[in-house]
Amino acid sequence: MRDFIVKILVKLGLYTKAVECINYFKEQSQARKIRKYGLATIQEADQALTECGFQMFLIFGTLLGAVRNHGFIPFDYDLDVAIVANKQTDEIHSSLIKHGFKLKRQIYIQTNGSDLITEEAYEYKGVKLDLFYLLEEGKDWYAYEPQHHEYKDWKEANATDGFPTVRAYVPQCAFERQDFLGITVYLPVEADAWCRALYADDYMTPVKNWDLKTHKTRHKWTGERCYRRDY
């Protein structure tokens, strides 16, 4: 039934609008959960990854909120954290599960005949936590950010040619624990440079309907395709 409805909406040119409407209500619900359980989610994930020997730090929208809003972005619907690691390990997964997280999704690219996991989505008390795995290139680190398929719905794209993805580059630097709404969490010491790289030089000014393609960031389109695995 779902596939039939999707085909009708695509034919009528309404698929994108329908997805945007559904996502809006989902995101409003998620934003309320972040306000209630966001700090507890970050604390628990930090402890779980510290036990594995990793420094977990804020990235993307959660880092932007920490720098610009001194808290969560009011309309943000998920939490973005990262570690520097070239692959996911059973130890990371086991520690997060032990601390109450549920694995919901993995994003991966196919390289050298195997799957390289670049991002995982976990859930804790209804809050979505995206964990990115940063890779090294020269003096930079980069994370993969999947984008919407050019014209296919996600199920069809996942079963065929995958999703376009970009590399989001940030300068390598140290991390230090800083106060974040009464808890301490790792932030890059070059947080300003990271926000400029991810959101352009005017990142301190909120932009409604911010679009990656119209801002000068350090994202690179490489032609790589990613796929997702749901749990």
Side-chain angles (χ1 to χ4, degrees):
M1 177 60 73
R2 176 195 177 279
D3 293 341
F4 174 74
I5 294 174
V6 167
K7 287 181 181 179
I8 295 298
L9 290 172
V10 170
K11 188 174 181 179
L12 295 174
L14 299 174
Y15 175 74
T16 300
K17 288 294 183 182
V19 170
E20 289 175 353
C21 183
I22 292 170
N23 286 342
Y24 172 80
F25 288 104
K26 285 183 177 179
E27 290 166 5
Q28 291 297 307
S29 175
Q30 286 293 319
R32 288 193 294 270
K33 291 176 182 177
I34 285 179
R35 290 193 290 272
K36 188 173 183 179
Y37 297 116
L39 286 177
T41 301
I42 290 175
Q43 277 188 305
E44 205 67 38
D46 181 35
Q47 185 176 346
L49 291 165
T50 297
E51 291 175 4
C52 300
F54 290 99
Q55 287 183 324
M56 185 203 83
F57 46 88
L58 306 187
I59 197 171
F60 293 122
T62 310
L63 173 63
L64 179 63
V67 174
R68 189 178 69 194
N69 300 72
H70 305 292
F72 298 118
I73 295 175
F75 50 82
D76 213 357
Y77 57 88
D78 62 8
L79 301 176
D80 299 316
V81 299
I83 59 175
V84 178
N86 59 10
K87 64 180 180 180
Q88 197 273 353
T89 68
D90 290 339
E91 185 181 10
I92 291 172
H93 177 70
S94 298
S95 186
L96 285 165
I97 296 300
K98 184 181 73 174
H99 282 263
F101 288 84
K102 295 179 180 179
L103 178 62
K104 306 296 289 186
R105 183 179 304 128
Q106 289 179 325
I107 303 296
Y108 62 94
I109 61 172
Q110 297 174 335
T111 177
N112 299 323
S114 61
D115 296 343
L116 173 65
I117 297 171
T118 60
E119 175 191 346
E120 291 183 309
Y122 287 88
E123 188 177 86
Y124 181 83
K125 294 186 176 181
V127 175
K128 180 185 173 187
L129 178 88
D130 287 336
L131 172 62
F132 293 87
Y133 294 87
L134 266 59
L135 303 171
E136 183 177 355
E137 183 178 300
K139 296 182 179 181
D140 292 322
W141 288 313
Y142 67 89
Y144 283 100
E145 276 197 288
Q147 307 295 304
H148 291 297
H149 192 277
E150 293 83 351
Y151 57 90
K152 297 178 183 177
D153 97 286
W154 80 264
K155 279 194 172 181
E156 183 183 359
N158 208 47
T160 53
D161 57 332
F163 307 88
T165 186
V166 297
R167 293 183 178 187
Y169 285 85
V170 292
Q172 291 188 29
C173 67
F175 302 94
E176 64 180 7
R177 284 196 174 275
Q178 297 184 29
D179 178 76
F180 180 73
L181 296 175
I183 67 172
T184 60
V185 64
Y186 281 113
L187 269 66
V189 296
E190 296 186 23
D192 175 70
W194 277 41
C195 287
R196 291 177 186 277
L198 297 172
Y199 295 105
D201 289 344
D202 61 350
Y203 72 88
M204 289 297 288
T205 302
V207 178
K208 188 176 182 180
N209 299 322
W210 188 90
D211 187 345
L212 174 64
K213 294 182 178 180
T214 58
H215 287 75
K216 294 182 179 179
T217 68
R218 292 195 60 199
H219 289 74
K220 293 183 181 179
W221 296 83
T222 65
E224 296 165 293
R225 311 291 286 192
C226 67
Y227 299 83
R228 74 185 240 186
R229 184 184 296 119
D230 289 1
Y231 291 87

